[in-house]
Amino acid sequence: RCRCRSSFHAAVKMKYNISCPATGSQKTIDIDSDHAFKPFVDKRISHEVAGDTLGEGFKGYIFRITGGNDKQGFPMKQGVLTNTRVRLLLDKNKSCYRAGRKGERKRKSVRGCIVDSQMSVISLVIVKKGDTDIPGITDVSRPRRLGPKRASKIKQLFALEKGDNIVDYAKSFKRKIEPKEGKGEKHRFKYPKVQRLVTPRRLQRKRHMVACKRVRAEKQRDLKTGYATLLAQRAKEHNDEKIARKERLSSTRKSGNED
């Protein structure tokens, strides 16, 4: 058993997909050393691992495991506490599956969230930068081509206050669009259209919606009251008619007895 295990680990070949959110870049690094793979064994998604064991170039770095794929290409899924492959019934609200139709569910094979020797790719995110730069990851900067569109996201990005104009800050992501060849059009600029922006028109529309809702509620209340009154009136008429019928029957019986 020990001989087979050592020969297997000697042939370990993996890839680490390292990404840096600060620079927006990522790079895949081939790892064929058992020493570099050992710190990730039995670790789970969202666990942090020191980069000192990967080599001198990663000294001082701290990585977070965000996912990976096994040798057959099946992805890791968060929350599946096993290091083997399982088949789960997934729907559109679950990861590792994209539904084709409304309400569709399908049983798919996924890898658990625990790293083992059957992994071929492990996705890592740099949590803390080390002493030296990693070539192609931390020494280059790839800014976002598209900026955020939601108003709350733009506020959070620029730390805006209540009176600031969000549209002016959204224009900072303006990009130049070159015209197509063979057409005499001029170049133009595009910037994100701010979504969920609170404007005076939006407030007026909201007040109108609230007023319409209030009118509908009052109308339904009046209809309910009128219907209840009508039911009470018809019940009273039915009871009066019932009492009158009984009186007629009793008078007829009395007259027959007298005869």
Side-chain angles (χ1 to χ4, degrees):
R1 183 182 301 175
C2 297
R3 183 168 59 255
C4 296
R5 185 181 300 174
S6 61
S7 62
F8 176 78
H9 285 294
V12 168
K13 290 185 179 180
M14 299 187 64
K15 293 181 179 180
Y16 291 161
N17 188 0
I18 303 176
S19 62
C20 181
T23 60
S25 59
Q26 65 177 5
K27 186 178 180 181
T28 302
I29 300 176
D30 295 329
I31 301 295
D32 54 0
S33 173
D34 186 20
H35 181 69
F37 171 69
K38 280 184 178 179
F40 294 93
V41 177
D42 293 336
K43 296 289 186 180
R44 294 189 294 183
I45 294 178
S46 74
H47 281 189
E48 295 182 357
V49 180
D52 299 339
T53 57
L54 299 181
E56 294 295 333
F58 303 98
K59 188 175 182 180
Y61 281 86
I62 296 179
F63 300 100
R64 179 186 294 118
I65 303 174
T66 58
N69 297 80
D70 61 6
K71 295 181 179 179
Q72 287 74 32
F74 293 95
M76 298 175 67
K77 181 172 176 58
Q78 177 69 293
V80 183
L81 300 179
T82 180
N83 58 355
T84 59
R85 194 185 308 161
V86 296
R87 288 178 59 84
L88 302 177
L89 187 63
L90 306 177
D91 56 13
K92 67 174 184 177
N93 298 322
K94 304 295 188 302
S95 59
C96 304
Y97 174 65
R98 180 179 296 177
R101 300 177 61 183
K102 183 178 179 181
E104 181 181 14
R105 296 189 300 169
K106 197 170 184 180
R107 194 169 294 277
K108 304 285 289 185
S109 295
V110 294
R111 172 70 59 173
C113 66
I114 301 176
V115 179
D116 67 343
S117 58
Q118 297 298 320
M119 303 300 297
S120 63
V121 180
I122 298 179
S123 300
L124 306 174
V125 173
I126 296 177
V127 178
K128 179 182 177 183
K129 186 179 178 181
D131 303 333
T132 59
D133 289 330
I134 303 175
I137 301 179
T138 58
D139 58 347
V140 296
S141 178
R142 292 183 175 86
R144 297 174 59 176
R145 190 179 69 90
L146 301 176
K149 298 179 66 176
R150 190 180 300 179
S152 59
K153 301 285 186 180
I154 299 175
K155 284 183 178 180
Q156 183 180 6
L157 181 62
F158 293 101
L160 302 181
E161 297 180 356
K162 186 175 181 180
D164 296 333
N165 190 359
I166 303 177
V167 179
D168 294 340
Y169 289 89
K171 290 181 179 180
S172 62
F173 295 99
K174 182 170 60 175
R175 53 195 176 93
K176 186 177 180 181
I177 306 298
E178 297 293 341
K180 295 182 179 180
E181 296 181 359
K183 294 186 178 181
E185 300 177 355
K186 297 182 179 180
H187 62 268
R188 56 194 179 92
F189 295 92
K190 292 182 68 175
Y191 61 90
K193 181 181 179 181
V194 182
Q195 304 291 334
R196 301 186 185 181
L197 184 63
V198 181
T199 59
R201 182 180 296 181
R202 170 59 186 161
L203 295 176
Q204 181 182 2
R205 189 184 302 118
K206 189 172 183 180
R207 288 193 296 268
H208 177 69
M209 291 169 58
V210 172
C212 292
K213 186 176 181 181
R214 188 184 304 112
V215 170
R216 289 196 302 268
E218 293 176 356
K219 183 179 178 181
Q220 291 296 326
R221 195 180 304 113
D222 295 340
L223 290 175
K224 185 177 180 180
T225 304
Y227 182 67
T229 304
L230 180 63
L231 288 179
Q233 181 180 356
R234 289 186 177 179
K236 185 176 181 302
E237 293 176 356
H238 180 70
N239 291 333
D240 294 344
E241 184 179 353
K242 194 173 181 181
I243 293 173
R245 191 185 303 115
K246 286 183 179 181
E247 290 178 354
R248 287 196 303 268
L249 289 175
S250 61
S251 61
T252 306
R253 289 174 183 174
K254 287 181 180 179
S255 61
N257 294 331
E258 291 175 357
D259 295 339

